């Protein structure tokens, strides 16, 4: 310290005496240098506060009907544990089957390894008081994997061993055995309708992965079968549980974006996996794949493991980008706007990039026309460019983009909305609010919720697997007669709409929907 | 004034050095002041979301704060007002020495809460601000270009 003082004194002494007055003045000015900056700050800050005060801004948004409250869902309050244990069978254990089992609380090491968040997210899931009593897959190793998953369950935060489910060779054996109350269908698309119809005839409740059916005839038959039965049917569009979609519907019902004249939906992928090249299990062969059953409804097709494992690439087994991807967007649009089945569809596209065996397009564009609603809906798909775009609803007052979040962009001519825009091109509203507003001193880069995409959602402020919520809704409906959000009618509209696009593409014609006869007309 | 509260320097800065260092001090102060006042003006602001999204080895500490109403309440007061105090101090150059250390503590906590193990997340803007403020502790200016200079022994 002494040394320091000395050098300071040295500095002071070094100042020439003749300029003492000037130095004093200069030191005074120097010492007060922060003051003008402080003035500048408050002048600027005051302006920002007047025009964009966070509270004023929120208040202004509120006046336009744009609030940030999560829409409360009706909760089933009866204790699940008191109800009878629901016996469930799972058919199809390739991609979605294990996910569905996880949503029921079943888990194995592979599922944990696939996603490090799995266990944490599962811990917030309620025990649904169900038992997976049967599994079935036409590839025996997958069926065994299903039985393995079905032998471990997360109970009270701990993985415990439970009685493993019975492996059935076919879904019919499972149904005939009469041991299940409900069935979950996660097979290739061509089997959805038959399994669901057979289950409903036996009074077995049905949860079916999307798309509901592969053909319009199947959709008509399945709807009839479900309506004639007493079973609860839920189609696996978990966007129905997404907080963002539910919020979007609430906002749209209030008319925040005005009249919607155009809806744009997209799939932009750029990977083999995204183009449904999912690989062929090297252990699979004619002895452990039940090919005969697989092609029972398809006619004679020579044994081909590509058509078994990568069935999405073939219209005989799958449904192309329309059934695989557009159905997500369509059901989202139908959920928030209730557009229903369009009057007509035209489609173009082709298979330009993927030269492996396949007959589905990798570039596919459809226009759906809704003359009675005064709008068109488009679907644009490329499998050779990766870009994340949500559903775009173009309204007279604003544009809404719906994905994991809801964004509202002002119409450029709408003064009330434009005044709220803080940065050119930026949305004036984003839900959930916290995603935009996590802030220490400079805002955080990582955002857990956003990074989890559409697989999870907010439920009462908690991050939850959306498939779990969707399955729970179905189980609650079976037990307590509550409603499901993606029922047979929603499924019917989903299937007819995407199949109209497929037919338009395959036949090179405009396809109209005859509402009375419930059939398509090629123009 | 007590040397604990006043900065002193052993080296004479050139005019340019003094201008740049003072500019840096005022700029960081400006940022603190803005962040603090914005939070203070926004009644609904809470540190909860920031604490909850912490995703690293220190997360349990920050999550426990976010889950405890009393601790969260204290955090919600210390944060905006702490930032405002640091902001005023840096812009005006008053009581710089202790308050810079307080600013460093705040930034260190923000960093520990927010960093995660990714190239962009290990070195984030908070870390850069933390190190820059650290540099201003080593190269003080308030005793020349701040109100602290009026308290300096002449």
């Amino acid at each position: 310290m002494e040394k320091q003082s000395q050098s300071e004194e040295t500095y002071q002494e070094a100042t020439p005496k003749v300029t003492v007055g000037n130095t004093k003045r200069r030191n005074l000015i120097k010492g007060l240098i922060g003051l003008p900056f402080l003035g500048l700050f408050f002048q600027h800050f005051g302006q920002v506060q007047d025009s964009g005060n966070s509270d004023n801004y929120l208040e202004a948004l509120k006046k336009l009907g744009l609030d940030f409250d999560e829409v409360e869902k009706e909760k089933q309050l009866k204790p699940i544990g008191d109800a009878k244990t629901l016996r469930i069978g799972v058919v199809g254990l390739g991609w979605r089957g294990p996910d569905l089992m996880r949503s029921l609380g079943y888990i194995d090491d592979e599922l944990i390894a696939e996603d490090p968040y799995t266990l944490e997210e599962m811990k917030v899931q309620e025990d649904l008081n169900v038992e997976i009593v049967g599994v079935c897959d036409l590839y025996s190793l997958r069926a065994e994997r299903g039985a393995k998953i079905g032998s471990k369950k997360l109970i009270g935060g701990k993985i415990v061993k439970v009685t493993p489910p019975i492996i059935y060779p076919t879904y019919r054996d499972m149904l005939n055995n009469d041991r299940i109350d409900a069935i979950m269908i996660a097979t290739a698309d061509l089997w959805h309708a038959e399994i669901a119809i057979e289950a409903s005839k036996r009074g077995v409740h049905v949860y079916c992965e999307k798309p509901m059916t592969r053909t319009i005839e199947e959709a008509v038959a399945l709807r009839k079968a479900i309506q004639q039965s007493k079973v609860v049917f839920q189609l696996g569009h978990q966007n129905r549980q997404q907080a963002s979609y539910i919020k979007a519907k609430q906002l749209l019902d209030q008319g925040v974006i005005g009249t919607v004249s155009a809806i744009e939906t997209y799939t932009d992928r750029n990977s083999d996996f995204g183009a449904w090249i999912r690989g062929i299990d090297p252990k699979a062969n004619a002895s452990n794949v039940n090919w005969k059953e697989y092609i029972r409804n398809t006619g004679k097709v020579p044994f081909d493991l590509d058509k078994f494992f990568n069935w999405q690439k073939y219209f005989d087994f799958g449904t192309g980008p329309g059934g695989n991807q557009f159905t997500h967007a369509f059901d989202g649009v139908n959920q928030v706007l209730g557009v229903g089945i369009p009057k007509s569809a035209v489609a173009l596209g082709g298979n330009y990039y993927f030269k492996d065996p396949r007959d589905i397009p990798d570039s596919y564009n459809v226009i759906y026309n809704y003359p009675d609603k005064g709008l068109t809906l488009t679907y644009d798909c490329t499998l050779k460019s990766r870009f994340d775009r949500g559903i775009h609803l173009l309204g007279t007052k604003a544009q809404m983009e719906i994905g994991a979040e809801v964004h509202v962009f002002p119409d450029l001519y709408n003064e009330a909305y434009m005044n709220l825009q803080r940065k050119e091109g930026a949305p004036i509203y984003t839900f959930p609010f916290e995603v935009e507003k996590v802030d220490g001193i400079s805002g955080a880069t990582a955002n857990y919720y956003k990074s989890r995409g559409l697989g999870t959602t907010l439920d009462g402020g908690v991050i939850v697997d959306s498939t779990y919520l969707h399955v729970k809704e179905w189980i609650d409906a079976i037990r307590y007669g509550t409603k499901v959000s993606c029922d047979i009618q929603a499924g019917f509209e989903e299937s007819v709409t995407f199949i109209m696009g497929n037919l338009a593409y395959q036949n090179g014609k405009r396809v109209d929907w005859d509402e009375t006869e419930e059939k398509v007309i090629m123009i | 004034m007590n040397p604990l509260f006043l900065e002193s320097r052993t080296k004479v800065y050139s005019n340019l050095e003094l201008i740049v260092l003072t500019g840096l001090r005022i700029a960081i102060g400006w940022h603190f002041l803005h962040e603090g006042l914005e939070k203070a003006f926004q009644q609904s602001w809470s540190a909860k979301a920031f604490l909850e999204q912490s995703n690293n080895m220190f997360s349990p500490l920050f999550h426990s704060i976010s889950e405890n109403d009393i601790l969260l309440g204290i955090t919600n007061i210390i944060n905006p007002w702490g930032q405002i105090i640091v902001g005023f101090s840096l812009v005006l150059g008053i009581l710089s020495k202790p308050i810079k250390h307080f600013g460093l503590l705040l930034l260190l906590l923000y960093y520990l809460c927010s960093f995660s193990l990714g190239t962009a997340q290990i070195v984030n803007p908070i870390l850069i601000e933390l190190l820059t403020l650290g540099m201003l502790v080593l190269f003080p200016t308030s005793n020349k270009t701040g109100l602290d200079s009026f308290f300096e022994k002449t």
Side-chain angles (χ1 to χ4, degrees):
Chain A
M1 272 333 266
E2 207 179 305
K3 204 174 179 187
Q4 271 181 15
S5 308
Q6 269 179 4
S7 36
E8 273 167 42
E9 273 164 26
T10 314
Y11 172 69
Q12 296 292 342
E13 280 168 10
T15 314
K17 281 181 181 169
V18 283
T19 57
V20 164
N22 282 343
T23 309
K24 269 192 175 173
R25 209 164 34 244
R26 207 180 302 147
N27 285 346
L28 182 72
I29 294 167
K30 272 186 184 172
L32 295 172
I33 195 76
L35 279 175
F37 286 101
L38 199 63
L40 191 67
F41 175 90
F42 278 105
Q43 190 195 4
H44 173 78
F45 190 78
Q47 281 171 4
V48 173
Q49 285 299 310
D50 287 344
S51 64
N53 172 298
S54 297
D55 285 336
N56 290 348
Y57 173 71
L58 296 183
E59 203 50 48
L61 281 178
K62 220 171 199 174
K63 273 185 192 155
L64 295 170
L66 293 161
D67 68 273
F68 294 91
D69 303 330
E70 196 184 320
V71 181
E72 269 189 45
K73 287 181 208 156
E74 275 182 41
K75 296 269 180 204
Q76 174 292 116
L77 296 169
K78 292 176 190 168
I80 286 172
D82 292 355
K84 200 179 137 212
T85 302
L86 197 72
R87 300 167 304 166
I88 293 180
V90 181
V91 192
L93 291 147
W95 184 248
R96 283 295 288 165
D99 284 346
L100 294 177
M101 295 181 81
R102 186 179 57 183
S103 69
L104 296 174
Y106 289 84
I107 186 88
D108 74 347
D109 295 340
E110 254 180 85
L111 281 173
I112 296 171
E114 274 168 22
D115 183 348
Y117 294 110
T118 290
L119 261 186
E120 282 311 304
E121 278 170 8
M122 278 180 77
K123 282 179 186 167
V124 299
Q125 294 177 191
E126 202 176 335
D127 184 352
L128 297 175
N129 187 13
V130 296
E131 193 183 337
I132 296 180
V133 294
V135 289
C136 161
D137 195 289
L138 295 179
Y139 173 36
S140 62
L141 294 188
R142 277 186 175 167
E144 283 163 22
R145 160 98 200 277
K148 192 173 145 246
I149 300 172
S151 66
K152 282 181 184 172
K153 202 174 181 187
L154 193 71
I155 301 172
K158 282 184 183 161
I159 299 173
V160 292
K161 280 192 175 174
V162 293
T163 316
I166 297 170
I167 298 174
Y168 294 98
T170 68
Y171 86 85
R172 282 177 300 177
D173 297 312
M174 185 191 272
L175 287 175
N176 290 340
N177 201 282
D178 215 21
R179 281 194 70 229
I180 60 167
D181 306 310
I183 195 166
M184 300 181 99
I185 306 168
T187 63
D189 298 348
L190 84 159
W191 280 105
H192 289 183
E194 186 185 301
I195 301 173
I197 290 170
E198 289 303 316
S200 67
K201 279 182 188 165
R202 288 166 169 84
V204 171
H205 303 284
V206 179
Y207 184 97
C208 182
E209 275 298 315
K210 62 87 218 167
M212 190 174 86
T213 64
R214 203 180 63 87
T215 68
I216 286 178
E217 294 72 28
E218 286 175 355
V220 173
L222 175 54
R223 189 181 58 172
K224 195 175 158 198
I226 297 293
Q227 284 171 346
Q228 284 174 350
S229 72
K230 284 182 182 165
V231 307
V232 176
F233 177 91
Q234 171 95 301
L235 186 63
H237 280 301
Q238 51 271 17
N239 50 276
R240 297 274 172 171
Q241 309 301 328
Q242 278 287 334
S244 54
Y245 283 74
I246 296 167
K247 186 69 191 176
K249 178 170 167 48
Q250 186 199 45
L251 297 176
L252 290 165
D253 286 348
Q254 292 165 17
V256 294
I257 70 164
T259 306
V260 176
S261 60
I263 303 165
E264 299 169 349
T265 62
Y266 312 91
T267 298
D268 306 304
R269 291 179 159 187
N270 196 355
S271 69
D272 286 354
F273 189 84
W276 300 291
I277 300 170
R278 304 277 159 106
I280 295 170
D281 191 333
K283 290 178 193 149
N285 56 54
S287 69
N288 55 21
V289 171
N290 187 346
W291 182 255
K292 197 178 156 198
E293 173 73 1
Y294 185 59
I295 58 158
R296 181 158 56 78
N297 289 339
T298 320
K300 217 169 162 56
V301 181
F303 181 71
D304 184 346
L305 285 175
D306 192 45
K307 287 181 176 163
F308 186 81
F309 284 99
N310 300 312
W311 53 266
Q312 287 99 331
K313 299 193 298 169
Y314 303 94
F315 274 124
D316 279 348
F317 302 92
T319 45
N324 268 307
Q325 292 310 119
F326 169 64
T327 49
H328 286 300
F330 174 78
D331 190 67
V333 171
N334 209 15
Q335 175 185 358
V336 299
L337 276 182
V339 288
I341 299 169
K343 176 68 191 154
S344 41
V346 288
L348 285 171
N351 182 33
Y352 305 129
Y353 297 97
F354 288 89
K355 297 304 173 196
D356 59 331
R358 62 173 63 214
D359 59 15
I360 60 160
D362 52 30
S363 301
Y364 177 64
N365 301 72
V366 198
I367 304 172
Y368 292 103
N369 200 21
Y370 290 85
D372 56 333
K373 295 188 170 62
L375 63 89
T376 55
L377 188 166
T378 58
Y379 172 61
D380 299 326
C381 165
T382 172
L383 302 183
K384 270 294 165 191
S385 181
R386 180 84 179 92
F387 190 47
D388 273 333
R389 292 189 279 190
I391 296 166
H392 286 228
L393 307 175
L394 281 69
T396 45
K397 292 201 272 185
Q399 194 194 88
M400 181 182 280
E401 185 184 346
I402 314 169
E405 300 167 319
V406 179
H407 298 293
V408 174
F409 297 88
D411 182 274
L412 299 182
Y413 289 146
N414 187 321
E415 218 174 294
Y417 280 40
M418 281 303 283
N419 285 342
L420 285 166
Q421 195 174 46
R422 300 209 249 192
K423 200 176 138 200
E424 205 182 328
I428 55 168
Y429 170 88
T430 294
F431 173 87
F433 188 50
E434 284 73 18
V435 173
E436 282 282 285
K437 210 55 199 170
V438 281
D439 191 15
I441 189 128
S442 277
T445 40
N447 188 307
Y448 172 64
Y449 169 69
K450 209 172 171 179
S451 71
R452 297 296 286 148
L454 280 168
T456 53
T457 186
L458 286 176
D459 184 40
V462 180
I463 295 166
V464 188
D465 177 25
S466 42
T467 302
Y468 157 76
L469 292 175
H470 206 47
V471 168
K472 181 179 185 302
E473 187 184 74
W474 172 61
I475 290 169
D476 287 345
I478 294 170
R479 285 205 174 112
Y480 309 112
T482 46
K483 279 191 173 168
V484 288
S485 53
C486 200
D487 61 9
I488 189 69
Q489 181 57 27
F492 184 75
E493 289 166 5
E494 174 248 54
S495 280
V496 171
T497 305
F498 93 80
I499 296 166
M500 282 171 72
N502 277 0
L503 291 172
Y505 168 75
Q506 287 166 316
N507 295 285
K509 288 184 175 170
R510 191 182 98 200
V511 171
D512 279 9
W513 176 242
D514 183 337
E515 218 176 329
T516 337
E517 295 289 320
E518 295 208 318
K519 62 175 190 184
V520 293
I521 305 162
M522 302 268 185
I523 309 286
Chain B
M1 199 184 273
N2 190 321
L4 265 178
F5 297 104
L6 268 188
E7 291 177 321
S8 59
R9 75 177 186 280
T10 54
K11 179 179 174 287
V12 179
Y13 297 131
S14 73
N15 281 342
L16 188 60
E17 284 168 341
L18 195 61
I19 289 168
V20 171
L21 285 169
T22 305
L24 194 59
R25 191 195 78 210
I26 291 173
I28 294 179
W30 182 296
H31 187 215
F32 265 89
L33 199 52
H34 177 84
E35 288 292 336
L37 283 172
E38 203 182 56
K39 289 180 183 73
F41 272 94
Q42 192 186 312
Q43 285 160 6
S44 54
W45 181 84
S46 169
K48 196 174 172 65
F50 182 71
L51 295 166
E52 275 175 354
Q53 59 93 57
S54 175
N55 182 22
N56 55 42
M57 56 282 253
F58 301 103
S59 300
L61 168 68
F62 297 106
H63 291 168
S64 64
I65 296 174
S66 77
E67 283 154 17
N68 183 315
D69 286 346
I70 297 169
L71 288 177
L72 184 66
I74 295 169
T75 309
N76 285 345
I77 293 168
I78 289 179
N79 254 296
W81 291 105
Q83 288 178 356
I84 291 168
I85 289 167
V86 175
F88 268 114
S89 159
L90 288 175
V91 173
L92 294 176
I94 186 165
L95 291 175
S96 272
K97 195 174 180 180
I99 288 179
K100 265 187 218 166
H101 286 90
F102 176 59
L104 282 176
L105 178 70
L106 284 181
L107 285 169
L108 182 69
L109 289 170
Y110 298 149
Y111 179 70
L112 293 180
C113 177
S114 70
F115 87 91
S116 57
L117 300 175
T119 324
Q121 287 84 27
I122 290 178
V123 175
N124 62 15
I126 298 171
L127 180 65
I128 293 171
E129 193 158 18
L130 171 68
L131 293 172
T132 314
L133 188 60
M135 204 176 79
L136 291 182
V137 171
L138 302 176
F139 296 93
T141 51
S142 61
N143 55 342
K144 273 289 148 193
T145 55
L147 298 179
D148 279 347
S149 64
F150 300 120
F151 301 111
E152 203 175 28
K153 190 178 72 179
T154 51

